[in-house]
Amino acid sequence: MYLGITKRILSIGALLCLVAGAATGVEAQTDHARLWNAYAARFISGDGRVIDPLTGDRTTSEGQSYALFFALVNNDRDHFDKVLSWTVANLGQGDLARHLPAWSWGHGKDGAWGVLDANSASDSDLWIAYDLIEAGHLWKEPRYAVMGRRLAGLIARREVVNLPGFGPVLIPGPVGFKFQKMYVLNPSYTPVFVLNRLASVDPAGPWADVAAMYPALIQRTARNGFAMDWVCDTTGEGFSPCLANGKKTPTPVGSYDAIRVYLWAGMLAENSPAKSRLLSALLGMNNYMLQHPAPPEKVGPDGVPQNTPGPVGFSAALLPYLKSNLDEPAAAQQLVRLQSQLDEKSNLYGTSPTYYDQNLALFGTGWLEKRFQFGSSGELLVRWSR
């Protein structure tokens, strides 16, 4: 490997062996459990709060939802319970069956710590519901599953709408994304495997219909085969890239949110009907990676990538996507890029390890190592339960 060596060229054969080894359980190159332990030590407080140092030690429902997932994947009941307790008490007003979790918590202008924005983020809400349902199943703890199903019901009532002329979709939150003639959507907020699992435990809910419409949403909103961060559906105009507030200036892009669209698509079960449709709609990124050593940090609203390479987490996020596209050389190249930025002292990725990069790495490497997979109905398959 070329840890710390920037000019060494690896043969395609060596790259293919590397990615094939990771995919079959050889863990010398990536170790999900080690990364999880390092992540928990760096970013999770003793009482279960996930801290993002780059945003003033803010905590988001996203961070809490991902920590719950990775604690479950690693059979870490202690961290799961701490993160859940903190989330319920501080973001969910003590009851996630009645209150969607606030998305942002931190140090306010008045000097006090608490909720900064009480609006919820539907992607995190979905992940928390999913984490609870799967924890109830895998740990045989019914109270988790009951809490997860109740939260899912709340999401269905408050964060799923019927888009005129299109069909049911997940909106980013209950407030601020529905205008008089326009809806704002975030394509990365809707992992199909999560929807499939919710549909299996709540057949009367909207989940199967939202999942069925999602490939069409990506087909209509991707630009030149690249996903966008935010898109607007405007009456009489259809879908177009936009910003979270519905505006189109400054220029909308596909970047830190959109990278998860490729990740979720790649992690779908091979027999999922949605997978081939999603991969076909997102071929722009695959074609780009055939000719470039790193993913682009930003893609313009016309589907043209900008020249700046994305952070190391982007490489990790593309591992399942590239592997699913049978693009072994590109997948191996991104794994090499990821490993070249492993800090051996911290066991985290990047010279200044960031919260988001580590989350993307936990997803990408965990799936590649088969620490976890998603079944045909979205069920979580973890190595420790086999």
Side-chain angles (χ1 to χ4, degrees), residues 1 6 80 110 156 196 199 217 224 232 293 296 313 316 342 348 350 353 376 386:
M1 295 307 304
T6 60
F80 188 95
D110 60 357
N196 289 340
L217 178 67
N224 198 28
C232 290
L342 177 65
L348 298 170
S376 58
R386 299 171 192 170

Side-chain angles (χ1 to χ4, degrees), residues 25-329:
V26 177
E27 295 156 18
Q29 306 306 325
T30 60
D31 187 335
H32 182 86
R34 181 178 58 192
L35 177 57
W36 163 246
N37 289 331
Y39 177 89
R42 171 71 71 92
F43 297 105
I44 303 179
S45 68
D47 61 351
R49 180 168 81 93
V50 180
I51 300 170
D52 184 358
L54 290 184
T55 58
D57 290 342
R58 186 182 66 176
T59 291
T60 62
S61 58
E62 173 194 270
Q64 300 300 112
S65 69
Y66 290 167
L68 289 171
F69 178 76
F70 296 124
L72 179 57
V73 165
N74 286 279
N75 199 19
D76 187 343
R77 186 75 174 267
D78 181 59
H79 270 112
F80 188 95
D81 284 337
K82 287 180 179 178
V83 172
L84 177 60
S85 295
W86 193 94
T87 302
V88 172
N90 293 278
L91 303 183
Q93 300 181 52
D95 187 355
L96 288 178
R98 298 179 60 189
H99 304 285
L100 293 172
W103 83 271
S104 180
W105 189 99
H107 195 228
K109 295 180 180 179
D110 60 357
W113 289 85
V115 170
L116 301 177
D117 189 338
N119 201 18
S120 60
S122 59
D123 62 329
S124 305
D125 303 341
L126 279 182
W127 272 107
I128 293 172
Y130 180 86
D131 299 336
L132 288 165
I133 290 168
E134 296 309 273
H137 169 69
L138 291 167
W139 282 328
K140 297 177 172 56
E141 182 58 75
R143 69 181 180 90
Y144 291 142
V146 170
M147 191 186 307
R149 287 194 296 270
R150 289 177 177 172
L151 176 57
L154 191 58
I155 298 167
R157 292 191 297 272
R158 300 193 61 196
E159 296 179 319
V160 174
V161 303
N162 192 53
L163 209 61
F166 182 78
V169 296
L170 184 78
I171 56 174
V175 178
F177 302 101
K178 179 181 178 181
F179 300 90
Q180 186 175 1
K181 295 184 178 181
M182 180 176 66
Y183 285 89
V184 178
L185 305 176
N186 189 312
S188 76
Y189 276 30
T190 314
V192 173
F193 45 81
V194 171
L195 300 176
N196 289 340
R197 182 58 170 152
L198 294 184
S200 70
V201 300
D202 179 21
W207 311 115
D209 292 335
V210 176
M213 293 305 302
Y214 184 70
L217 178 67
I218 296 302
Q219 288 169 337
R220 295 194 191 186
T221 59
R223 292 295 181 265
N224 198 28
F226 290 94
M228 295 289 107
D229 285 349
W230 297 89
V231 296
C232 290
D233 181 37
T234 306
T235 302
E237 298 180 13
F239 292 103
S240 61
C242 64
L243 305 179
N245 59 8
K247 297 182 179 181
K248 296 185 179 181
T249 54
T251 305
V253 294
S255 186
Y256 286 85
D257 281 1
I259 194 67
R260 295 177 297 188
V261 175
Y262 312 100
L263 175 63
W264 307 150
M267 292 195 299
L268 273 167
E270 289 303 315
N271 61 355
S272 170
K275 185 160 189 170
S276 61
R277 292 180 63 191
L278 289 170
L279 293 179
S280 295
L282 297 168
L283 271 179
M285 181 63 81
N286 188 71
N287 294 336
Y288 181 89
M289 296 311 299
L290 293 175
Q291 304 176 41
H292 296 83
E297 182 184 24
K298 296 180 180 179
V299 177
D302 52 0
V304 177
Q306 300 178 11
N307 292 329
T308 305
V312 67
F314 281 28
S315 292
L318 288 186
L319 292 173
Y321 163 83
L322 294 170
K323 185 76 174 172
S324 295
N325 275 313
L326 304 180
D327 192 347
E328 301 285 4

